[in-house]
Structures are given as structure tokens and as C-alpha cells.
Amino acid sequence: MSAQQYQPSALSDVTVTVDGDDTVVTFPRTLPYPVDQVWAAVTDPEMLAKWTPYTADRNLGSVGEVVIAMLSEEGDPEMSFPASVRVVEQARRLEHEWGPDELIWELTPVDGGTEVVLTQRSRAEGMASALAAGWHLCFDVLDALLAGSPFGPIVGEKAREYGWDDLNSRYASRLGIEESEVW
């Protein structure tokens, strides 16, 4: 799908809290796919590379050390760093480092699909609306991927072509916070 054809889905009920030095962004999204299919997308490196800005050197479905590779706008591994998968509850919960941040994935079966709640604990001050806008695009790409119509990942400045600026502004407004400035 081209940027001209793409229309972002409705805004999610994102919440933002502050916990010490961390900004905690919680992003819920219900997807019309079974839990095992969503779990595979969250843990399998090949699938991650099709919808997120990163991939890993191994499946994230087990506790232990891992190398996370950030993707370039072309989708190639660009920058790598060591990380750790801290918690795995098969097809229910995954906690892992993402640079200085932590990602917590919670999957719950619901009628017609899976509720995914992604929580990102970030040290990056003032980035809450940017994180929400970025994950919004990622989840839209994931939805298309699982539906059999992949068009991602959308990484870096390429996100602007897919409405990132508008999403950033709308999430800032919804959350009652200053709009994040990234570029």
C-alpha cells in the first residue's frame, strides 16, 4: 500500500504516566486475529522486521540475552545493541529491553481477536505523542500484514509520508501534552 492509499485507523486510547525518570506510554489495540498469530508477530524476528522499526537475532519467545537491530528506512538492519528478554508468559506476556527503554506486550484473547496492550517505559522526555504516533503506524502495518496485505515497515522519516505528523499532533491533543518534536 502506498502512502497515498494509506489511511490511519482511529486513534487508540493511549495513556501516559510518569514514573520517576520514566515516561510510561500504554498503547492498547484490538486486532481481529487469534492470540497465537499476534504472538508470532511480536516474537518472530522475520515478522518483527515487517511491521516494527526493529528485529532481533533470535525469537523473543524465551528469556535471555538478545541483540536488537534497528532498521533503516529501507528495512535493512542498521544499528544493533545488546538487550535482554526478561519475562515470557507464552502467548500472554513479553517484557524486553529496547535500547534504554522497556517494552511490555500483554495479549488477551477477546471475542473476534486479540487485545494487545503495549507499554513502553522510556527515558526520553517529551516523546509521548511521538511514541504513540509511531506505534499507531506500526499497529496499522501489523494489521495489514496479518490480513495478508503487508506494506511495511514504516521507519524513520518515511513515517511522515504515512501521516505521522498528524498522528503526533492528534495524540498530543488527546493526551493534553506538548507535541513531540523529532525532526
Side-chain angles (χ1 to χ4, degrees):
M1 177 179 310
S2 72
Q4 292 76 25
Q5 297 169 318
Y6 169 75
Q7 291 297 313
S9 60
L11 293 184
S12 183
D13 291 327
V14 172
T15 59
V16 175
T17 57
V18 176
D19 181 15
D21 292 336
D22 292 341
T23 299
V24 181
V25 178
T26 302
F27 194 104
R29 180 78 175 256
T30 300
L31 297 168
Y33 311 100
V35 169
D36 59 332
Q37 199 174 1
V38 177
W39 180 256
V42 170
T43 58
D44 179 81
E46 285 185 37
M47 290 193 71
L48 284 167
K50 293 177 181 178
W51 71 276
T52 69
Y54 69 96
T55 189
D57 70 339
R58 68 169 181 86
N59 190 293
L60 301 178
S62 62
V63 172
E65 300 306 308
V66 64
V67 175
I68 300 289
M70 299 305 294
L71 302 176
S72 68
E73 287 185 31
E74 293 76 34
D76 301 315
E78 186 173 60
M79 173 183 69
S80 298
F81 48 86
S84 179
V85 176
R86 297 180 182 152
V87 175
V88 174
E89 294 175 24
Q90 186 65 33
R92 292 188 50 228
R93 185 178 180 92
L94 170 67
E95 296 181 20
H96 66 89
E97 295 171 342
W98 189 38
D101 292 2
E102 177 183 42
L103 298 181
I104 302 167
W105 302 87
E106 297 172 281
L107 282 61
T108 305
V110 295
D111 284 340
T114 302
E115 180 184 40
V116 180
V117 177
L118 169 61
T119 301
Q120 181 171 354
R121 296 182 67 84
S122 178
R123 296 286 167 119
E125 189 175 334
M127 295 301 293
S129 65
L131 296 174
W135 285 117
H136 187 108
L137 290 174
C138 288
F139 274 105
D140 282 358
V141 173
L142 173 59
D143 191 11
L145 172 67
L146 295 178
S149 302
F151 69 96
I154 300 173
V155 178
E157 286 209 39
K158 184 178 174 185
R160 299 182 95 173
E161 299 170 25
Y162 286 83
W164 182 90
D165 291 303
D166 183 57
L167 288 167
N168 181 37
S169 178
R170 290 171 56 206
Y171 275 114
S173 178
R174 174 174 274 192
L175 293 165
I177 60 175
E178 290 292 317
E179 191 173 313
S180 301
E181 294 186 30
V182 176
W183 289 285

